[in-house]
Amino acid sequence: GQVKEDLTIDKLIEKHSDDVKITGDDVLNEYKFLNEKVKADYVLFKTADCLPQVTVTEDEIKAYFEKNKTAFKIPAQVNAEYITKPFPDDKEETKQKVRKEMKDISYEFAADTDLAAAAKKFSLTVKETGPFNRETNIPGIGYDLKFADTALSLAAGQVSSPIETKTGVYIIKTKEKKPERQAALAEVRDAAEKALKAEKADAVAKAKALEALKAIKAGLEKKGSFEAAAKELSLSVKKTDAFARGQYIEGLGIAPEFAEAAFSVKQGEVSGDAVKVHDGYTIVKQDSIIPIDDKKYQEEKDRLKKRLTEQKKYFASITWFNELRKKADLQNNLDKAGGRSR
């Protein structure tokens, strides 16, 4: 039956993925990709610094809003009532006691959703949050996703099971809900203006970076240094510590495009384009590559080869299996179209 069928599929997958081969070059390239480091010099053009030079008109704000309407939504809103027992301390046994008490209280709502009656019976107070959404602080509670998601998932008038947060246990009753809706320009005008200004400032930062890149390249062709060419343009050069691909770079954060540019140019050379980072654009010069430690590579290569082989086998088997499924579905549909019953 099913077990036998599953075993046969497993055997076929295994047989199919046995052909997977990983070469020494594959292992070395992967090791380099993970462990090679680079040092770079760069000039940064911050988008925020270009904001003061940017102006927008009412018509532009309107046009921007119309073009990006879907980005401006008023999120779903909810107003909830709740009763709570806070955790008096961090001890597990006191927390268990509170959990049990709130669990017992929650049985009251099996037949009746009257929060006030249950609160009175157990000497608790019913509190009301007032309207809030998933992104805002909850009045009287603070920012709490678990509370917000629970309140938003209930229908109006429905009562939740006990919900535990860091501070205590809650039972929530959703009073009223307003679904997510498209915003009108008047409600989000400031946000639209801010987003448009940021977009324009980003374009200014990029243009400045490209202009400076041209001048710096001209300076380098005359055998000048990166620093001297930047200084001539009154720009300051920053230096990174050695970093690997995918690693956090001090001052730039996680910047994959910057890393790619730093690794792909030759030593002393400058990237061919302005390179985007999270807060603007950079001109990147490779300072030096720090090669892999060969001794360490020899120690770790077998382990890495094993991992890569397993990964490749896994992907090969999935791809093969999906192809097989597609063919089976196609055959099935052809049979049906031909009017033959199975």
Side-chain angles (χ1 to χ4, degrees):
Q2 188 62 45
V3 175
K4 199 171 170 191
E5 217 165 274
D6 286 349
L7 281 173
T8 316
I9 286 175
D10 281 348
K11 278 254 171 11
L12 279 168
I13 286 176
E14 209 174 286
K15 180 180 176 301
H16 196 82
S17 57
D18 273 346
D19 305 339
V20 165
K21 293 282 177 284
I22 296 280
T23 66
D25 279 353
D26 293 335
V27 182
L28 181 59
N29 288 337
E30 179 71 5
Y31 192 84
K32 275 185 177 173
F33 186 83
L34 296 170
N35 295 285
E36 204 173 36
K37 290 187 174 180
V38 68
K39 279 184 182 173
D41 299 343
Y42 67 95
V43 178
L44 171 65
F45 296 83
K46 279 189 171 178
T47 298
D49 293 345
C50 301
L51 275 170
Q53 300 148 44
V54 165
T55 54
V56 294
T57 65
E58 271 313 309
D59 283 347
E60 283 178 314
I61 295 170
K62 210 185 233 162
Y64 181 84
F65 171 75
E66 286 302 329
K67 194 176 138 202
N68 299 283
K69 244 182 174 163
T70 51
F72 298 102
K73 292 251 172 75
I74 303 292
Q77 251 195 1
V78 64
N79 180 15
E81 295 178 320
Y82 64 92
I83 50 176
T84 182
K85 279 197 174 224
F87 292 134
D89 55 47
D90 262 342
K91 292 194 191 93
E92 193 50 39
E93 58 264 38
T94 39
K95 283 187 174 182
Q96 281 294 21
K97 191 168 169 275
V98 170
R99 286 181 194 124
K100 186 177 178 333
E101 285 167 1
M102 286 300 269
K103 187 92 183 132
D104 290 344
I105 294 171
S106 76
Y107 296 138
E108 297 285 316
F109 306 111
D112 187 6
T113 58
D114 189 344
L115 209 60
K120 200 172 169 191
K121 184 173 171 182
F122 294 96
S123 317
L124 294 169
T125 317
V126 175
K127 293 178 179 168
E128 190 171 328
T129 59
F132 68 92
N133 65 48
R134 202 170 182 267
E135 273 85 59
T136 55
N137 275 337
I138 302 163
I141 289 172
Y143 185 70
D144 193 318
L145 266 184
K146 206 164 179 189
F147 188 104
D149 284 341
T150 303
L152 283 159
S153 71
L154 299 169
Q158 206 180 357
V159 176
S160 76
S161 307
I163 297 299
E164 185 176 324
T165 70
K166 283 196 281 287
T167 55
V169 181
Y170 294 86
I171 291 171
I172 306 166
K173 181 178 183 175
T174 292
K175 205 171 173 187
E176 54 203 329
K177 270 169 91 170
K178 286 183 182 160
E180 179 186 74
R181 64 178 173 81
Q182 179 61 58
L185 175 59
E187 296 172 287
V188 291
R189 190 205 160 282
D190 291 349
E193 181 182 12
K194 199 176 164 192
L196 174 59
K197 278 184 171 172
E199 197 176 270
K200 278 193 164 190
D202 195 66
V204 173
K206 187 176 185 179
K208 282 187 170 184
L210 287 169
E211 203 181 318
L213 176 63
K214 220 165 157 182
I216 286 173
K217 285 203 158 175
L220 288 174
E221 269 164 29
K222 290 182 190 139
K223 298 282 175 269
S225 73
F226 184 68
E227 281 80 2
K231 199 174 175 187
E232 201 139 296
L233 301 167
S234 315
L235 299 169
S236 66
V237 173
K238 293 183 166 73
K239 291 179 174 298
T240 71
D241 290 331
F243 64 90
R245 293 168 177 90
Q247 201 178 356
Y248 182 91
I249 307 164
E250 194 61 51
L252 294 172
I254 296 282
E257 289 169 28
F258 181 93
E260 184 50 46
F263 273 104
S264 59
V265 294
K266 292 192 179 81
Q267 186 170 0
E269 280 190 5
V270 172
S271 61
D273 202 354
V275 179
K276 181 101 175 92
V277 290
H278 78 95
D279 56 352
Y281 290 85
T282 53
I283 297 168
V284 188
K285 180 198 121 190
Q286 190 199 93
D287 186 40
S288 58
I289 291 255
I290 294 94
I292 58 168
D293 177 337
D294 201 54
K295 189 166 169 282
K296 247 180 142 173
Y297 171 63
Q298 296 304 333
E299 285 167 15
E300 291 174 23
K301 69 176 184 185
D302 292 340
R303 240 196 338 261
L304 181 59
K305 184 173 185 173
K306 194 172 169 228
R307 203 182 80 214
L308 286 177
T309 308
E310 277 163 10
Q311 275 176 0
K312 205 168 173 182
K313 273 187 175 183
Y314 175 71
F315 287 118
S317 64
I318 292 232
T319 313
W320 171 79
F321 190 62
N322 284 338
E323 285 299 314
L324 199 68
R325 282 240 307 260
K326 264 191 221 149
K327 280 182 193 158
D329 285 345
L330 181 68
Q331 192 55 52
N332 208 353
N333 292 333
L334 284 173
D335 288 350
K336 276 182 187 161
R340 292 197 299 273
S341 59
R342 304 298 298 252

